[in-house]
Amino acid sequence: MFIISHYPLAVIICFVTMLCWGSWANTQKLTTQSVPTTIFYRDYTYGILLLSLLLAFTLGSFGAAGRSFLVDVKRADLQNIVYALVGGFVFNIANMLIVVGIELAGLSVAMPVGIGLALILGVIVNYILSPVGNITLLLAGVFAIFLAIVFSALAYRAKASANSSANTKGIVASLVGGFLMSFFFYFVARAMAPDFASPGPGLLTPYTALVLFATGVVSSTPLFLPVLRRFASKPADGEIHYGDVSRRNHRIGMLGGMVWCLGMASSLLASGEAGYAISYGLGQGATIIAVLWGVFIWHEFRDAPVASGRYLTLMGLFYVMGLALIIYAK
């Protein structure tokens, strides 16, 4: 299977994660203008599973390193299979809450608040699992990210003071989703072998872990969809059924899932050389990408006061500073 064996390449791959995780929500913004969020989300999860299988039977099955996908599945311990599935369950409910936050508060607010919190807690949790990197620099980077979240919240508060339609429930949903999001990577990492080139017996390669994770996401979606129906659905959404949606919108939803899955695969592959804390932390720098989409493409702060723009600028500066510190931690 294909693996990464050099730290500089691992950092580059982490930036692929950042780009993918910061961009997938554009498909939500695009489709939910006319499609219920629940239908978009179903297609999104199908896209995650589809790409995970495609990667498993291509990059995960060719080459001399490690174990091929089918062999790895046969040798996997039940405990590690369960860990990967649980990672999918935890991610799914967390991601649904962040989707709610995007619907209510906008992409440029929900992502910094939710994913920023996930980054802070996730770096700490994953460092405990795999203590790779300078802890002082990691904590300094995490603190800078915390300040970026504060400035993001201040930007939204300034916008809300000038716009009565602003919805603070979006921030609450994003915070809860971010808290849960910080733990999903830990469960997936627990299932994987620390040495991808020579995986131990019963442990999973990144490709197998990704497929099982995606299976957990798809299988748990029916259980968690009421969250979206309760908080993100519009009154007319109940009149639209899955078969009523055009193939184009179904494909866009699946594309969103495939983009996110590519980011997840990149993060898992990079973790072998960079460590779980660094690969996860850099990937969650996706917030910067999401804010750029939200501000400049979707114009979510078009009518906001000048103070909001200043806070967003400070948020971007501290986020970049935090990411730089995380990179230099190793």
Side-chain angles (χ1 to χ4, degrees), residues 35 54 103-104 120 164 174 192 201 229 252 267:
V35 174
L54 181 62
E103 286 286 303
L104 298 180
I120 291 172
S164 59
S174 299
M192 294 195 311
R229 292 193 183 98
I252 292 174
S267 185

Side-chain angles (χ1 to χ4, degrees), residues 68-127:
S68 65
F69 170 61
L70 292 178
V71 172
D72 198 46
V73 170
K74 293 177 182 178
R75 296 184 181 180
D77 286 346
L78 178 60
Q79 179 183 12
N80 295 319
I81 292 174
V82 171
Y83 274 134
L85 290 171
V86 169
F89 297 162
V90 175
F91 165 80
N92 210 13
I93 183 61
N95 199 54
M96 281 193 184
L97 289 169
I98 290 176
V99 165
V100 171
I102 293 171
E103 286 286 303
L104 298 180
L107 181 61
S108 54
V109 172
M111 292 291 273
V113 171
I115 302 304
L117 179 60
L119 189 156
I120 291 172
L121 296 177
V123 166
I124 296 172
V125 169
N126 288 293
Y127 185 85

Side-chain angles (χ1 to χ4, degrees), residues 289-303:
I289 306 299
V291 169
L292 292 175
W293 284 115
V295 172
F296 294 107
I297 302 301
W298 300 105
H299 305 293
E300 293 176 344
F301 279 80
R302 176 183 295 165
D303 299 321

Side-chain angles (χ1 to χ4, degrees), residues 234-304:
K234 305 174 186 67
D237 285 353
E239 302 172 6
I240 303 175
H241 302 286
Y242 191 84
D244 298 331
V245 175
S246 68
R247 291 183 179 179
R248 174 181 178 275
N249 283 324
H250 283 307
R251 287 195 292 265
I252 292 174
M254 293 182 68
L255 175 63
M258 295 175 76
V259 169
W260 189 92
C261 185
L262 179 60
M264 179 65 172
S266 300
S267 185
L268 291 178
L269 288 172
S271 67
E273 186 64 28
Y276 296 128
I278 292 175
S279 67
Y280 178 81
L282 286 180
Q284 295 294 26
T287 295
I288 292 295
I289 306 299
V291 169
L292 292 175
W293 284 115
V295 172
F296 294 107
I297 302 301
W298 300 105
H299 305 293
E300 293 176 344
F301 279 80
R302 176 183 295 165
D303 299 321

Side-chain angles (χ1 to χ4, degrees), residues 151-208:
F151 286 123
S152 176
L154 290 174
Y156 186 74
R157 188 176 71 172
K159 175 186 176 184
S161 65
N163 182 2
S164 59
S165 64
N167 194 324
T168 56
K169 291 181 181 179
I171 288 186
V172 175
S174 299
L175 284 172
V176 177
F179 175 79
L180 295 173
M181 184 73 75
S182 63
F183 296 100
F184 89 89
F185 199 89
Y186 170 83
F187 288 106
V188 181
R190 280 290 301 268
M192 294 195 311
D195 184 357
F196 297 164
S198 302
L203 294 169
L204 308 179
T205 68
Y207 299 97
T208 304

Side-chain angles (χ1 to χ4, degrees), residues 45 48-50 52 84-85 88 209-219 261:
T45 61
I48 293 176
L49 181 59
L50 179 62
S52 71
L85 290 171
L210 182 62
V211 170
L212 292 171
F213 165 85
T215 302
V217 171
V218 172
S219 62
C261 185

